[in-house]
Amino acid sequence: MRSMTPPREGPPRVARRTLVSAPLATAMLPPGPARAATAPDWPALAREALAPIRAALAASEGPVLLKSFTTDGREAFDRVHAEVAFTYDNALAGLALLAAGGRAEAERIAEALRLAQEEDRFWTDGRLRNAYAAGRIFPDAPRSVRPPGWWDAAAGRWLEDGYQAGSAAGPIAFAILLWTALGDAPFTRAAGRAADWLEGLRAPQGYRGGTIGHEPSPDSLAWISTEQNLDLAIAFARLGREAAAGHAAGFLRSMWLPAERRFAMGLTPEGAVNAGSALDANLWPPLAFPERGYAEALDWVLARHGLPAGAPAAELDGLDFNDDRDGIWLEGTAQAALLLRRLRRDALAARFAATIARHRRRDGWIAAASLPWLTTGLGTGLQPGAADFLYPARGHLAANAWAALAALNASPFG
């Protein structure tokens, strides 16, 4: 999951805030009335979800990072995200392409992430940033790879976002998942370097969130995430780091709430359990560890995140990120569709597939959200106490990638 954050000036860590207004209306096909879904054409959905990803790759050469969101107008969002390629989104797209048999395409993204690690303008310790400037990454260009940014004409200066310049544990773990799935020696080495940095986030329970802000001294994220520790458990296990994988998996198990049959979100910076409601923290464990009996978390999610609110599970059209149910999160709805298929709950999977198809824009990209700004209840850390982690109704690389994985019945966790 990725955040839409107010920008922060950088590289010097001088705070500057810009309010991000609601985006312009997207060129989305009308959602249409809810209706009973017939059995979807899963192969067609996979082709349609992957088509704009493949088109974006075909428009460039060599190692490339793909832009995460469509930017349709002249709003603040468009300026801030004009060149943003989130690490998580790109790693997920690579995994979807690999699942579809597009190894050469997946390798181009994986190599771009490897070069981003190798040629970062400052870091040499194996970490990845949360985002980079989209486009081709050239080899043998020392210290040339930078986080995304934009020119502020009014201020007459270049700006960067502190979240995008930072390094969260989960996105780095997803890069490791892509690199290890491909298995070539340069990718395995890159995965090992990244894992070395991640092991430095070890806490008494689990692994901390990472860092936020610019070099040379970004702030540490002291909270501990259920979802990110799941990512780390899988990534460390892929590299044979059993002690590290066990530490992350142990934290995941500790976040199971038996009375509610679901997972807490993690620990706050103060060490208290955050029992709030998050979709991916409950959908990913049964995908990653189907043998451990976590599938009951899906029913909890359907009851508290499902839309229309109050509808029986069989009549839901999609899921919100959190339980305020202000709109549908298409990426999460695709995650649920994949889990539903794995659990042979095909009728509801078909309904969710129909919702995803209705929110596919004319350009082929699937909207991140069904309304202009979807709330999550989470903060980015850039504005203390503010729930500024939002998703826009813009075409989203991760939404297409998850839709493709659901259509292919392929889990990114193996």
Side-chain angles (χ1 to χ4, degrees), residues 50 52-60 63-69 83-87 89-90 93-94 97 105 108-109 112 132-137 365 397:
L50 288 171
I53 298 175
R54 286 179 156 148
L57 283 168
S60 184
V64 63
L65 294 176
L66 303 180
K67 185 175 170 179
S68 284
F69 288 93
E83 64 169 9
V84 173
F86 281 110
T87 294
D89 297 348
N90 275 267
L97 289 163
E105 296 164 307
R108 291 178 60 195
I109 296 175
Y132 296 96
R136 186 173 181 180
I137 307 294
W365 292 107
L397 177 59

Side-chain angles (χ1 to χ4, degrees), residues 29-259:
L29 295 173
R35 56 188 180 275
T38 58
D41 184 343
W42 292 112
L45 178 57
R47 290 192 300 272
E48 292 164 357
L50 288 171
I53 298 175
R54 286 179 156 148
L57 283 168
S60 184
E61 297 180 349
V64 63
L65 294 176
L66 303 180
K67 185 175 170 179
S68 284
F69 288 93
T70 60
T71 47
D72 300 327
R74 298 180 180 179
E75 299 295 310
F77 176 88
D78 301 292
R79 293 193 298 274
V80 174
H81 292 84
E83 64 169 9
V84 173
F86 281 110
T87 294
Y88 162 81
D89 297 348
N90 275 267
L92 190 69
L95 288 165
L97 289 163
L98 188 60
R103 182 182 177 90
E105 296 164 307
E107 287 176 339
R108 291 178 60 195
I109 296 175
E111 176 65 3
L113 289 170
R114 189 192 70 81
L115 291 171
Q117 179 195 61
E118 187 71 23
E119 306 294 354
D120 188 273
R121 71 179 181 195
F122 183 85
W123 301 116
T124 60
D125 55 9
R127 78 181 74 187
L128 290 168
R129 297 180 189 264
N130 290 330
Y132 296 96
R136 186 173 181 180
I137 307 294
F138 290 90
D140 303 319
R143 310 280 74 83
S144 66
V145 180
R146 61 173 176 82
W150 69 99
W151 178 254
D152 187 315
R157 54 188 169 182
W158 182 257
L159 300 177
E160 292 175 358
D161 180 286
Y163 173 83
Q164 295 168 12
S167 300
I172 298 174
F174 263 81
I176 292 174
L177 296 184
L178 176 59
W179 285 330
T180 54
L182 289 165
D184 297 343
F187 296 146
T188 301
R189 286 194 295 271
R193 293 185 63 216
D196 288 343
W197 186 81
L198 289 170
E199 288 208 51
L201 301 176
R202 186 182 177 107
Q205 296 184 74
Y207 291 84
R208 297 185 303 275
T211 65
I212 189 168
H214 294 87
E215 63 270 25
S217 301
D219 296 326
S220 177
L221 296 172
W223 45 259
I224 302 176
S225 161
T226 300
E227 172 254 303
Q228 289 197 142
N229 273 269
L230 180 147
D231 307 340
L232 293 172
I234 301 296
F236 286 140
R238 291 271 189 92
L239 292 167
R241 301 192 182 201
E242 298 303 329
H247 188 66
F251 177 79
L252 174 70
R253 290 192 297 271
S254 75
M255 290 296 102
W256 179 252
L257 303 176

